Amino acid sequence: MSCSSRTPSPEAVSSGPRGGVNLLERERVLPGHCDRQVSIRGQQVTAARSRLRLALAATAVLLLAAPAELTPATPAFITHTIATGLSKGYQVVVADLNRDAKPDVIALDSGTSQLRWYENPDWTPHVLIDGIQGAINAAADDIDGDGVPEIALAHGFTMEYATSAGIVSILQHRGDPRAPWSVREIDRLPTAHRVRFLDIDGTGKRVLVNAPLIGAQAKAPDYRDQVPLVLYRPGDWKRQLIDEGEQGVVHGIVAARWGGDTRESLLSAGFLGVHVRSFANGRWTSTKLVDGEPSPWPKSGSSEIVVGRLGSDTFLGTIEPWHGNRVVAYRRLDGAWTRRVIDDSIVDGHTMAVGDFEGDGSDEIVVGERGGKRSVYLYRLTNPGGNIWSRHVLDDGGMAAAGCAVSDLNGDDRLDVVCVGTATANVKWYENRKQ
């Protein structure tokens, strides 16, 4: 057999990558050296194949070890429908209403006369109260210590000061939480829009804060006027002024322990940006944290505000401007709050929440858009030392989220998400299945 007959056929010859080495590449053989050449070539091929096997084995080990080195994958969520057929879903509140240690869901439907709650785990609906109009916001806290929370409700809402009753009521069970609750009206402040319970004294006894949407002289589209923030102490429920430092539209408020204090502070989002208010020594102090969207009034400021943790660091999350299209994260870098627009494609952004869904000590951000794609998104930090975030879809087109809340709904020690949709007229639970 000649050396030429030992040369691989064209079909057996592969054209290796440009600049690379291919073990099947044809080799020119000098006359009289066929057997020696084939022997040497065989040794080279065998050695090369051994090196390749070792390299592949090493690569496999690295790939198996890689997850410990990489950022954890986004947790998988399973979607459960709690309710459909709502009229104008607006907000969800999570609280245990029947003392069974299972968080239940209160869903505000602004287009109906009823306020309903859904009993965990089969989500049986119950009517808390009937005969109301324009329910816009609620908060729950066990004021009397009987294990069932009282519910503060803002209702009678419209966007115009002159036509908005701005009723604030306290709902209380009568023994059976599944039966209708009692209603006690405590105040009327037109455009009452956001209510939250805060532990401003650090005693565990919370006050109720009421933030109207606009002031008495505000007119669309500028809404220029001062906006009062007020509170009520349980018992006499008399209105007390916090301050009138806000102007334009105040859309979001949240309670948070700020600056290492055991007392809760009030953070607000409005046309003037984000402020934090703290109560100490019998008086309130207000500090501006960020300006928010830098566009001219009335496209300025912020609409929603959340406070999250990234390890030992605090960050702020906002939607900007009012009912805006931008999701923004603020981190303190080099001693100053640094603004980062992490998404500018949402339409009518209306709700924001935070939670550590990975269990790694860092919070992710949940955002819902009422318009556009009618979807819910989850944002997670991708570079711990900076402020770069990635977006992941939680609900693609099936939730025009006006309100979302974060809680462990099934007791598996993983935080879940629950949202209510306006145009989609539904309530959904997104179960966190992170392993």
Side-chain angles (χ1 to χ4, degrees):
M1 183 180 292
S2 66
C3 280
S4 61
S5 67
R6 295 176 184 268
T7 305
S9 66
E11 289 79 10
V13 178
S14 70
S15 56
R18 183 175 299 178
V21 176
N22 195 299
L23 294 180
L24 297 180
E25 185 176 351
R26 294 186 66 176
E27 182 172 333
R28 297 179 65 184
V29 182
L30 296 177
H33 297 274
C34 179
D35 295 337
R36 179 173 178 270
Q37 180 64 35
V38 169
S39 175
I40 294 172
R41 182 61 178 164
Q43 294 173 5
Q44 291 173 338
V45 169
T46 300
R49 285 174 176 167
S50 297
R51 290 193 298 270
L52 179 59
R53 283 194 294 268
L54 289 172
L56 290 173
T59 301
V61 172
L62 288 173
L63 287 174
L64 288 172
E69 303 292 331
L70 299 175
T71 303
T74 301
F77 288 84
I78 296 178
T79 302
H80 306 269
T81 297
I82 293 177
T84 60
L86 278 67
S87 177
K88 191 178 180 181
Y90 194 83
Q91 185 206 12
V92 283
V93 177
V94 178
D96 179 9
L97 298 187
N98 57 353
R99 288 182 287 217
D100 66 353
K102 295 183 179 69
D104 306 300
V105 175
I106 304 168
L108 272 74
D109 187 352
S110 298
T112 71
S113 63
Q114 294 182 340
L115 178 64
R116 302 186 188 98
W117 68 282
Y118 298 86
E119 185 175 356
N120 193 341
D122 58 1
W123 308 118
T124 301
H126 305 284
V127 176
L128 287 161
I129 58 172
D130 200 351
I132 58 172
Q133 300 296 325
I136 196 71
N137 216 235
D141 185 58
D142 185 8
I143 297 169
D144 59 13
D146 69 349
V148 178
E150 282 66 40
I151 299 170
L153 178 67
H155 54 112
F157 175 83
T158 71
M159 290 285 294
E160 296 183 4
Y161 194 93
T163 61
S164 177
I167 305 169
V168 181
S169 297
I170 301 297
L171 282 55
Q172 191 170 33
H173 75 96
R174 294 170 171 158
D176 180 4
R178 297 178 181 88
W181 291 33
S182 67
V183 184
R184 175 187 176 186
E185 181 179 318
I186 64 170
D187 197 12
R188 293 196 175 208
L189 183 58
T191 73
H193 182 254
R194 294 289 183 263
V195 288
R196 296 290 184 272
F197 283 103
L198 273 76
D199 182 10
I200 63 173
D201 301 309
T203 62
K205 297 181 178 180
R206 292 174 171 82
V207 303
L208 177 65
V209 170
N210 175 14
L213 182 72
I214 57 176
Q217 305 302 317
K219 302 291 183 183
D222 285 348
Y223 296 101
R224 286 194 181 273
D225 193 20
Q226 293 179 316
V227 184
L229 302 181
V230 303
L231 68 83
Y232 316 89
R233 289 189 179 271
D236 61 14
W237 296 108
K238 291 182 178 178
R239 184 200 300 177
Q240 301 178 32
L241 180 67
I242 296 175
D243 66 40
E244 294 180 295
E246 294 285 351
Q247 294 184 34
V249 167
V250 178
H251 193 263
I253 60 173
V254 68
R257 287 183 169 84
W258 192 256
D261 199 336
T262 58
R263 295 166 294 189
E264 289 183 320
S265 296
L266 175 69
L267 279 79
S268 60
F271 280 10
L272 294 182
V274 175
H275 291 78
V276 59
R277 290 172 172 82
S278 302
F279 185 76
N281 301 319
R283 57 187 291 268
W284 287 89
T285 57
S286 176
T287 303
K288 175 178 277 193
L289 298 178
V290 297
D291 290 326
E293 169 62 38
S295 298
W297 186 294
K299 297 294 184 181
S300 59
S302 303
S303 187
E304 302 293 333
I305 173 65
V306 293
V307 180
R309 304 292 299 178
L310 296 171
S312 60
D313 295 335
T314 298
F315 75 90
L316 304 175
T318 63
I319 293 175
E320 298 175 358
W322 179 32
H323 293 174
N325 66 312
R326 295 181 179 87
V327 181
V328 183
Y330 293 88
R331 295 195 67 185
R332 289 191 70 89
L333 303 175
D334 298 325
W337 289 107
T338 301
R339 181 176 186 260
R340 177 83 179 190
V341 177
I342 60 178
D343 192 356
D344 62 359
S345 65
I346 63 172
V347 178
D348 193 8
H350 198 268
T351 183
M352 175 177 271
V354 292
D356 181 6
F357 302 106
E358 300 280 357
D360 59 0
S362 293
D363 288 339
E364 286 77 39
I365 303 173
V366 176
V367 171
E369 59 176 347
R370 288 192 303 186
K373 296 179 181 179
R374 297 176 178 176
S375 298
V376 182
Y377 307 103
L378 185 145
Y379 302 83
R380 61 193 309 272
L381 188 71
T382 58
N383 61 332
N387 202 13
I388 307 297
W389 299 70
S390 60
R391 185 178 87 167
H392 309 268
V393 177
L394 194 59
D395 192 305
D396 189 6
M399 173 55 65
C404 292
V406 171
S407 181
D408 178 8
L409 291 185
N410 58 350
D412 64 355
D413 295 324
R414 303 184 189 101
L415 289 178
D416 307 310
V417 181
V418 59
C419 297
V420 61
T422 303
T424 50
N426 52 356
V427 181
K428 289 183 180 182
W429 161 36
Y430 305 93
E431 180 188 358
N432 183 358
R433 297 301 298 272
K434 169 69 177 177
Q435 298 300 319

mmCIF file with all atom_site columns, all heavy atoms in Angstrom, residues 352-376:
data_model
loop_
_atom_site.group_PDB
_atom_site.id
_atom_site.type_symbol
_atom_site.label_atom_id
_atom_site.label_alt_id
_atom_site.label_comp_id
_atom_site.label_asym_id
_atom_site.label_entity_id
_atom_site.label_seq_id
_atom_site.pdbx_PDB_ins_code
_atom_site.Cartn_x
_atom_site.Cartn_y
_atom_site.Cartn_z
_atom_site.occupancy
_atom_site.B_iso_or_equiv
_atom_site.pdbx_formal_charge
_atom_site.auth_seq_id
_atom_site.auth_comp_id
_atom_site.auth_asym_id
_atom_site.auth_atom_id
_atom_site.pdbx_PDB_model_num
ATOM 1   N N   . MET A 1 352 ? -44.820 49.305 42.807 1.00 0.00 ? 352 MET A N   1
ATOM 2   C CA  . MET A 1 352 ? -43.439 48.871 42.998 1.00 0.00 ? 352 MET A CA  1
ATOM 3   C C   . MET A 1 352 ? -43.331 48.233 44.377 1.00 0.00 ? 352 MET A C   1
ATOM 4   O O   . MET A 1 352 ? -43.914 48.709 45.345 1.00 0.00 ? 352 MET A O   1
ATOM 5   C CB  . MET A 1 352 ? -42.495 50.069 42.857 1.00 0.00 ? 352 MET A CB  1
ATOM 6   C CG  . MET A 1 352 ? -41.034 49.772 43.143 1.00 0.00 ? 352 MET A CG  1
ATOM 7   S SD  . MET A 1 352 ? -39.966 51.232 42.851 1.00 0.00 ? 352 MET A SD  1
ATOM 8   C CE  . MET A 1 352 ? -39.560 51.006 41.124 1.00 0.00 ? 352 MET A CE  1
ATOM 9   N N   . ALA A 1 353 ? -42.574 47.141 44.448 1.00 0.00 ? 353 ALA A N   1
ATOM 10  C CA  . ALA A 1 353 ? -42.345 46.452 45.719 1.00 0.00 ? 353 ALA A CA  1
ATOM 11  C C   . ALA A 1 353 ? -40.947 45.854 45.684 1.00 0.00 ? 353 ALA A C   1
ATOM 12  O O   . ALA A 1 353 ? -40.327 45.743 44.625 1.00 0.00 ? 353 ALA A O   1
ATOM 13  C CB  . ALA A 1 353 ? -43.390 45.361 45.944 1.00 0.00 ? 353 ALA A CB  1
ATOM 14  N N   . VAL A 1 354 ? -40.444 45.469 46.853 1.00 0.00 ? 354 VAL A N   1
ATOM 15  C CA  . VAL A 1 354 ? -39.124 44.839 46.938 1.00 0.00 ? 354 VAL A CA  1
ATOM 16  C C   . VAL A 1 354 ? -39.207 43.582 47.791 1.00 0.00 ? 354 VAL A C   1
ATOM 17  O O   . VAL A 1 354 ? -40.071 43.458 48.665 1.00 0.00 ? 354 VAL A O   1
ATOM 18  C CB  . VAL A 1 354 ? -38.053 45.789 47.527 1.00 0.00 ? 354 VAL A CB  1
ATOM 19  C CG1 . VAL A 1 354 ? -37.753 46.928 46.584 1.00 0.00 ? 354 VAL A CG1 1
ATOM 20  C CG2 . VAL A 1 354 ? -38.466 46.312 48.896 1.00 0.00 ? 354 VAL A CG2 1
ATOM 21  N N   . GLY A 1 355 ? -38.287 42.651 47.524 1.00 0.00 ? 355 GLY A N   1
ATOM 22  C CA  . GLY A 1 355 ? -38.205 41.445 48.328 1.00 0.00 ? 355 GLY A CA  1
ATOM 23  C C   . GLY A 1 355 ? -36.970 40.647 47.957 1.00 0.00 ? 355 GLY A C   1
ATOM 24  O O   . GLY A 1 355 ? -36.500 40.700 46.821 1.00 0.00 ? 355 GLY A O   1
ATOM 25  N N   . ASP A 1 356 ? -36.459 39.904 48.920 1.00 0.00 ? 356 ASP A N   1
ATOM 26  C CA  . ASP A 1 356 ? -35.291 39.048 48.689 1.00 0.00 ? 356 ASP A CA  1
ATOM 27  C C   . ASP A 1 356 ? -35.787 37.680 48.233 1.00 0.00 ? 356 ASP A C   1
ATOM 28  O O   . ASP A 1 356 ? -35.913 36.748 49.022 1.00 0.00 ? 356 ASP A O   1
ATOM 29  C CB  . ASP A 1 356 ? -34.456 38.937 49.968 1.00 0.00 ? 356 ASP A CB  1
ATOM 30  C CG  . ASP A 1 356 ? -33.217 38.078 49.791 1.00 0.00 ? 356 ASP A CG  1
ATOM 31  O OD1 . ASP A 1 356 ? -32.941 37.653 48.647 1.00 0.00 ? 356 ASP A OD1 1
ATOM 32  O OD2 . ASP A 1 356 ? -32.521 37.824 50.794 1.00 0.00 ? 356 ASP A OD2 1
ATOM 33  N N   . PHE A 1 357 ? -36.054 37.557 46.950 1.00 0.00 ? 357 PHE A N   1
ATOM 34  C CA  . PHE A 1 357 ? -36.613 36.322 46.413 1.00 0.00 ? 357 PHE A CA  1
ATOM 35  C C   . PHE A 1 357 ? -35.568 35.222 46.264 1.00 0.00 ? 357 PHE A C   1
ATOM 36  O O   . PHE A 1 357 ? -35.916 34.049 46.169 1.00 0.00 ? 357 PHE A O   1
ATOM 37  C CB  . PHE A 1 357 ? -37.273 36.601 45.065 1.00 0.00 ? 357 PHE A CB  1
ATOM 38  C CG  . PHE A 1 357 ? -38.358 37.631 45.138 1.00 0.00 ? 357 PHE A CG  1
ATOM 39  C CD1 . PHE A 1 357 ? -38.159 38.916 44.648 1.00 0.00 ? 357 PHE A CD1 1
ATOM 40  C CD2 . PHE A 1 357 ? -39.573 37.341 45.733 1.00 0.00 ? 357 PHE A CD2 1
ATOM 41  C CE1 . PHE A 1 357 ? -39.145 39.875 44.726 1.00 0.00 ? 357 PHE A CE1 1
ATOM 42  C CE2 . PHE A 1 357 ? -40.577 38.294 45.824 1.00 0.00 ? 357 PHE A CE2 1
ATOM 43  C CZ  . PHE A 1 357 ? -40.364 39.563 45.322 1.00 0.00 ? 357 PHE A CZ  1
ATOM 44  N N   . GLU A 1 358 ? -34.299 35.602 46.220 1.00 0.00 ? 358 GLU A N   1
ATOM 45  C CA  . GLU A 1 358 ? -33.221 34.631 46.086 1.00 0.00 ? 358 GLU A CA  1
ATOM 46  C C   . GLU A 1 358 ? -32.769 34.074 47.437 1.00 0.00 ? 358 GLU A C   1
ATOM 47  O O   . GLU A 1 358 ? -32.126 33.025 47.490 1.00 0.00 ? 358 GLU A O   1
ATOM 48  C CB  . GLU A 1 358 ? -32.006 35.289 45.415 1.00 0.00 ? 358 GLU A CB  1
ATOM 49  C CG  . GLU A 1 358 ? -32.254 35.837 44.026 1.00 0.00 ? 358 GLU A CG  1
ATOM 50  C CD  . GLU A 1 358 ? -32.217 34.747 42.973 1.00 0.00 ? 358 GLU A CD  1
ATOM 51  O OE1 . GLU A 1 358 ? -31.944 33.596 43.348 1.00 0.00 ? 358 GLU A OE1 1
ATOM 52  O OE2 . GLU A 1 358 ? -32.468 35.039 41.801 1.00 0.00 ? 358 GLU A OE2 1
ATOM 53  N N   . GLY A 1 359 ? -33.055 34.796 48.519 1.00 0.00 ? 359 GLY A N   1
ATOM 54  C CA  . GLY A 1 359 ? -32.560 34.402 49.816 1.00 0.00 ? 359 GLY A CA  1
ATOM 55  C C   . GLY A 1 359 ? -31.076 34.623 49.978 1.00 0.00 ? 359 GLY A C   1
ATOM 56  O O   . GLY A 1 359 ? -30.412 33.950 50.777 1.00 0.00 ? 359 GLY A O   1
ATOM 57  N N   . ASP A 1 360 ? -30.537 35.596 49.234 1.00 0.00 ? 360 ASP A N   1
ATOM 58  C CA  . ASP A 1 360 ? -29.095 35.857 49.269 1.00 0.00 ? 360 ASP A CA  1
ATOM 59  C C   . ASP A 1 360 ? -28.733 37.149 49.985 1.00 0.00 ? 360 ASP A C   1
ATOM 60  O O   . ASP A 1 360 ? -27.590 37.591 49.929 1.00 0.00 ? 360 ASP A O   1
ATOM 61  C CB  . ASP A 1 360 ? -28.526 35.890 47.845 1.00 0.00 ? 360 ASP A CB  1
ATOM 62  C CG  . ASP A 1 360 ? -29.173 36.964 46.974 1.00 0.00 ? 360 ASP A CG  1
ATOM 63  O OD1 . ASP A 1 360 ? -30.061 37.691 47.472 1.00 0.00 ? 360 ASP A OD1 1
ATOM 64  O OD2 . ASP A 1 360 ? -28.793 37.078 45.790 1.00 0.00 ? 360 ASP A OD2 1
ATOM 65  N N   . GLY A 1 361 ? -29.716 37.770 50.651 1.00 0.00 ? 361 GLY A N   1
ATOM 66  C CA  . GLY A 1 361 ? -29.442 39.000 51.376 1.00 0.00 ? 361 GLY A CA  1
ATOM 67  C C   . GLY A 1 361 ? -29.578 40.259 50.560 1.00 0.00 ? 361 GLY A C   1
ATOM 68  O O   . GLY A 1 361 ? -29.353 41.351 51.080 1.00 0.00 ? 361 GLY A O   1
ATOM 69  N N   . SER A 1 362 ? -29.965 40.139 49.289 1.00 0.00 ? 362 SER A N   1
ATOM 70  C CA  . SER A 1 362 ? -30.148 41.307 48.424 1.00 0.00 ? 362 SER A CA  1
ATOM 71  C C   . SER A 1 362 ? -31.555 41.295 47.847 1.00 0.00 ? 362 SER A C   1
ATOM 72  O O   . SER A 1 362 ? -32.040 40.251 47.376 1.00 0.00 ? 362 SER A O   1
ATOM 73  C CB  . SER A 1 362 ? -29.119 41.318 47.288 1.00 0.00 ? 362 SER A CB  1
ATOM 74  O OG  . SER A 1 362 ? -27.821 41.526 47.794 1.00 0.00 ? 362 SER A OG  1
ATOM 75  N N   . ASP A 1 363 ? -32.212 42.451 47.861 1.00 0.00 ? 363 ASP A N   1
ATOM 76  C CA  . ASP A 1 363 ? -33.581 42.557 47.381 1.00 0.00 ? 363 ASP A CA  1
ATOM 77  C C   . ASP A 1 363 ? -33.630 42.724 45.870 1.00 0.00 ? 363 ASP A C   1
ATOM 78  O O   . ASP A 1 363 ? -32.761 43.374 45.259 1.00 0.00 ? 363 ASP A O   1
ATOM 79  C CB  . ASP A 1 363 ? -34.280 43.763 48.016 1.00 0.00 ? 363 ASP A CB  1
ATOM 80  C CG  . ASP A 1 363 ? -34.594 43.542 49.486 1.00 0.00 ? 363 ASP A CG  1
ATOM 81  O OD1 . ASP A 1 363 ? -34.654 42.373 49.912 1.00 0.00 ? 363 ASP A OD1 1
ATOM 82  O OD2 . ASP A 1 363 ? -34.771 44.539 50.206 1.00 0.00 ? 363 ASP A OD2 1
ATOM 83  N N   . GLU A 1 364 ? -34.679 42.179 45.283 1.00 0.00 ? 364 GLU A N   1
ATOM 84  C CA  . GLU A 1 364 ? -35.040 42.463 43.898 1.00 0.00 ? 364 GLU A CA  1
ATOM 85  C C   . GLU A 1 364 ? -36.200 43.463 43.905 1.00 0.00 ? 364 GLU A C   1
ATOM 86  O O   . GLU A 1 364 ? -36.850 43.672 44.936 1.00 0.00 ? 364 GLU A O   1
ATOM 87  C CB  . GLU A 1 364 ? -35.439 41.190 43.157 1.00 0.00 ? 364 GLU A CB  1
ATOM 88  C CG  . GLU A 1 364 ? -34.286 40.263 42.803 1.00 0.00 ? 364 GLU A CG  1
ATOM 89  C CD  . GLU A 1 364 ? -33.790 39.457 43.975 1.00 0.00 ? 364 GLU A CD  1
ATOM 90  O OE1 . GLU A 1 364 ? -34.621 39.005 44.783 1.00 0.00 ? 364 GLU A OE1 1
ATOM 91  O OE2 . GLU A 1 364 ? -32.552 39.283 44.092 1.00 0.00 ? 364 GLU A OE2 1
ATOM 92  N N   . ILE A 1 365 ? -36.470 44.060 42.749 1.00 0.00 ? 365 ILE A N   1
ATOM 93  C CA  . ILE A 1 365 ? -37.537 45.051 42.607 1.00 0.00 ? 365 ILE A CA  1
ATOM 94  C C   . ILE A 1 365 ? -38.637 44.464 41.727 1.00 0.00 ? 365 ILE A C   1
ATOM 95  O O   . ILE A 1 365 ? -38.355 43.892 40.669 1.00 0.00 ? 365 ILE A O   1
ATOM 96  C CB  . ILE A 1 365 ? -37.017 46.359 41.965 1.00 0.00 ? 365 ILE A CB  1
ATOM 97  C CG1 . ILE A 1 365 ? -35.863 46.943 42.792 1.00 0.00 ? 365 ILE A CG1 1
ATOM 98  C CG2 . ILE A 1 365 ? -38.143 47.378 41.824 1.00 0.00 ? 365 ILE A CG2 1
ATOM 99  C CD1 . ILE A 1 365 ? -35.189 48.141 42.107 1.00 0.00 ? 365 ILE A CD1 1
ATOM 100 N N   . VAL A 1 366 ? -39.878 44.608 42.158 1.00 0.00 ? 366 VAL A N   1
ATOM 101 C CA  . VAL A 1 366 ? -41.043 44.207 41.368 1.00 0.00 ? 366 VAL A CA  1
ATOM 102 C C   . VAL A 1 366 ? -41.760 45.460 40.895 1.00 0.00 ? 366 VAL A C   1
ATOM 103 O O   . VAL A 1 366 ? -42.021 46.372 41.691 1.00 0.00 ? 366 VAL A O   1
ATOM 104 C CB  . VAL A 1 366 ? -42.008 43.337 42.197 1.00 0.00 ? 366 VAL A CB  1
ATOM 105 C CG1 . VAL A 1 366 ? -43.258 43.001 41.388 1.00 0.00 ? 366 VAL A CG1 1
ATOM 106 C CG2 . VAL A 1 366 ? -41.315 42.068 42.660 1.00 0.00 ? 366 VAL A CG2 1
ATOM 107 N N   . VAL A 1 367 ? -42.078 45.522 39.609 1.00 0.00 ? 367 VAL A N   1
ATOM 108 C CA  . VAL A 1 367 ? -42.760 46.687 39.028 1.00 0.00 ? 367 VAL A CA  1
ATOM 109 C C   . VAL A 1 367 ? -43.900 46.202 38.142 1.00 0.00 ? 367 VAL A C   1
ATOM 110 O O   . VAL A 1 367 ? -43.741 45.243 37.375 1.00 0.00 ? 367 VAL A O   1
ATOM 111 C CB  . VAL A 1 367 ? -41.790 47.548 38.188 1.00 0.00 ? 367 VAL A CB  1
ATOM 112 C CG1 . VAL A 1 367 ? -42.548 48.622 37.403 1.00 0.00 ? 367 VAL A CG1 1
ATOM 113 C CG2 . VAL A 1 367 ? -40.747 48.203 39.081 1.00 0.00 ? 367 VAL A CG2 1
ATOM 114 N N   . GLY A 1 368 ? -45.046 46.870 38.246 1.00 0.00 ? 368 GLY A N   1
ATOM 115 C CA  . GLY A 1 368 ? -46.189 46.562 37.395 1.00 0.00 ? 368 GLY A CA  1
ATOM 116 C C   . GLY A 1 368 ? -46.581 47.751 36.555 1.00 0.00 ? 368 GLY A C   1
ATOM 117 O O   . GLY A 1 368 ? -46.560 48.893 37.027 1.00 0.00 ? 368 GLY A O   1
ATOM 118 N N   . GLU A 1 369 ? -46.944 47.495 35.304 1.00 0.00 ? 369 GLU A N   1
ATOM 119 C CA  . GLU A 1 369 ? -47.431 48.559 34.419 1.00 0.00 ? 369 GLU A CA  1
ATOM 120 C C   . GLU A 1 369 ? -48.904 48.309 34.094 1.00 0.00 ? 369 GLU A C   1
ATOM 121 O O   . GLU A 1 369 ? -49.279 47.221 33.658 1.00 0.00 ? 369 GLU A O   1
ATOM 122 C CB  . GLU A 1 369 ? -46.592 48.657 33.142 1.00 0.00 ? 369 GLU A CB  1
ATOM 123 C CG  . GLU A 1 369 ? -46.531 47.404 32.290 1.00 0.00 ? 369 GLU A CG  1
ATOM 124 C CD  . GLU A 1 369 ? -45.772 47.603 30.992 1.00 0.00 ? 369 GLU A CD  1
ATOM 125 O OE1 . GLU A 1 369 ? -45.496 48.758 30.625 1.00 0.00 ? 369 GLU A OE1 1
ATOM 126 O OE2 . GLU A 1 369 ? -45.450 46.593 30.331 1.00 0.00 ? 369 GLU A OE2 1
ATOM 127 N N   . ARG A 1 370 ? -49.722 49.332 34.320 1.00 0.00 ? 370 ARG A N   1
ATOM 128 C CA  . ARG A 1 370 ? -51.152 49.206 34.035 1.00 0.00 ? 370 ARG A CA  1
ATOM 129 C C   . ARG A 1 370 ? -51.430 49.249 32.541 1.00 0.00 ? 370 ARG A C   1
ATOM 130 O O   . ARG A 1 370 ? -52.387 48.641 32.060 1.00 0.00 ? 370 ARG A O   1
ATOM 131 C CB  . ARG A 1 370 ? -51.938 50.332 34.725 1.00 0.00 ? 370 ARG A CB  1
ATOM 132 C CG  . ARG A 1 370 ? -52.029 50.193 36.217 1.00 0.00 ? 370 ARG A CG  1
ATOM 133 C CD  . ARG A 1 370 ? -53.042 51.155 36.808 1.00 0.00 ? 370 ARG A CD  1
ATOM 134 N NE  . ARG A 1 370 ? -52.773 52.545 36.493 1.00 0.00 ? 370 ARG A NE  1
ATOM 135 C CZ  . ARG A 1 370 ? -53.452 53.578 36.984 1.00 0.00 ? 370 ARG A CZ  1
ATOM 136 N NH1 . ARG A 1 370 ? -54.466 53.353 37.816 1.00 0.00 ? 370 ARG A NH1 1
ATOM 137 N NH2 . ARG A 1 370 ? -53.143 54.815 36.668 1.00 0.00 ? 370 ARG A NH2 1
ATOM 138 N N   . GLY A 1 371 ? -50.612 50.011 31.796 1.00 0.00 ? 371 GLY A N   1
ATOM 139 C CA  . GLY A 1 371 ? -50.810 50.138 30.365 1.00 0.00 ? 371 GLY A CA  1
ATOM 140 C C   . GLY A 1 371 ? -49.810 49.298 29.596 1.00 0.00 ? 371 GLY A C   1
ATOM 141 O O   . GLY A 1 371 ? -49.247 48.338 30.108 1.00 0.00 ? 371 GLY A O   1
ATOM 142 N N   . GLY A 1 372 ? -49.584 49.711 28.336 1.00 0.00 ? 372 GLY A N   1
ATOM 143 C CA  . GLY A 1 372 ? -48.575 49.042 27.527 1.00 0.00 ? 372 GLY A CA  1
ATOM 144 C C   . GLY A 1 372 ? -48.824 47.556 27.404 1.00 0.00 ? 372 GLY A C   1
ATOM 145 O O   . GLY A 1 372 ? -49.893 47.105 26.984 1.00 0.00 ? 372 GLY A O   1
ATOM 146 N N   . LYS A 1 373 ? -47.850 46.766 27.819 1.00 0.00 ? 373 LYS A N   1
ATOM 147 C CA  . LYS A 1 373 ? -47.943 45.308 27.718 1.00 0.00 ? 373 LYS A CA  1
ATOM 148 C C   . LYS A 1 373 ? -48.732 44.678 28.861 1.00 0.00 ? 373 LYS A C   1
ATOM 149 O O   . LYS A 1 373 ? -48.928 43.466 28.880 1.00 0.00 ? 373 LYS A O   1
ATOM 150 C CB  . LYS A 1 373 ? -46.540 44.704 27.669 1.00 0.00 ? 373 LYS A CB  1
ATOM 151 C CG  . LYS A 1 373 ? -45.743 45.111 26.445 1.00 0.00 ? 373 LYS A CG  1
ATOM 152 C CD  . LYS A 1 373 ? -44.352 44.493 26.461 1.00 0.00 ? 373 LYS A CD  1
ATOM 153 C CE  . LYS A 1 373 ? -43.551 44.913 25.241 1.00 0.00 ? 373 LYS A CE  1
ATOM 154 N NZ  . LYS A 1 373 ? -42.174 44.333 25.248 1.00 0.00 ? 373 LYS A NZ  1
ATOM 155 N N   . ARG A 1 374 ? -49.154 45.507 29.823 1.00 0.00 ? 374 ARG A N   1
ATOM 156 C CA  . ARG A 1 374 ? -49.921 45.008 30.970 1.00 0.00 ? 374 ARG A CA  1
ATOM 157 C C   . ARG A 1 374 ? -49.192 43.828 31.616 1.00 0.00 ? 374 ARG A C   1
ATOM 158 O O   . ARG A 1 374 ? -49.717 42.719 31.720 1.00 0.00 ? 374 ARG A O   1
ATOM 159 C CB  . ARG A 1 374 ? -51.331 44.607 30.549 1.00 0.00 ? 374 ARG A CB  1
ATOM 160 C CG  . ARG A 1 374 ? -52.157 45.779 30.007 1.00 0.00 ? 374 ARG A CG  1
ATOM 161 C CD  . ARG A 1 374 ? -53.519 45.340 29.515 1.00 0.00 ? 374 ARG A CD  1
ATOM 162 N NE  . ARG A 1 374 ? -54.313 46.476 29.048 1.00 0.00 ? 374 ARG A NE  1
ATOM 163 C CZ  . ARG A 1 374 ? -55.510 46.366 28.495 1.00 0.00 ? 374 ARG A CZ  1
ATOM 164 N NH1 . ARG A 1 374 ? -56.064 45.172 28.342 1.00 0.00 ? 374 ARG A NH1 1
ATOM 165 N NH2 . ARG A 1 374 ? -56.171 47.437 28.096 1.00 0.00 ? 374 ARG A NH2 1
ATOM 166 N N   . SER A 1 375 ? -47.993 44.125 32.068 1.00 0.00 ? 375 SER A N   1
ATOM 167 C CA  . SER A 1 375 ? -47.116 43.068 32.547 1.00 0.00 ? 375 SER A CA  1
ATOM 168 C C   . SER A 1 375 ? -46.502 43.429 33.895 1.00 0.00 ? 375 SER A C   1
ATOM 169 O O   . SER A 1 375 ? -46.604 44.559 34.366 1.00 0.00 ? 375 SER A O   1
ATOM 170 C CB  . SER A 1 375 ? -46.003 42.796 31.533 1.00 0.00 ? 375 SER A CB  1
ATOM 171 O OG  . SER A 1 375 ? -46.546 42.351 30.294 1.00 0.00 ? 375 SER A OG  1
ATOM 172 N N   . VAL A 1 376 ? -45.848 42.432 34.496 1.00 0.00 ? 376 VAL A N   1
ATOM 173 C CA  . VAL A 1 376 ? -45.138 42.609 35.756 1.00 0.00 ? 376 VAL A CA  1
ATOM 174 C C   . VAL A 1 376 ? -43.700 42.150 35.540 1.00 0.00 ? 376 VAL A C   1
ATOM 175 O O   . VAL A 1 376 ? -43.453 41.105 34.930 1.00 0.00 ? 376 VAL A O   1
ATOM 176 C CB  . VAL A 1 376 ? -45.786 41.798 36.898 1.00 0.00 ? 376 VAL A CB  1
ATOM 177 C CG1 . VAL A 1 376 ? -45.050 42.037 38.207 1.00 0.00 ? 376 VAL A CG1 1
ATOM 178 C CG2 . VAL A 1 376 ? -47.262 42.165 37.036 1.00 0.00 ? 376 VAL A CG2 1
#
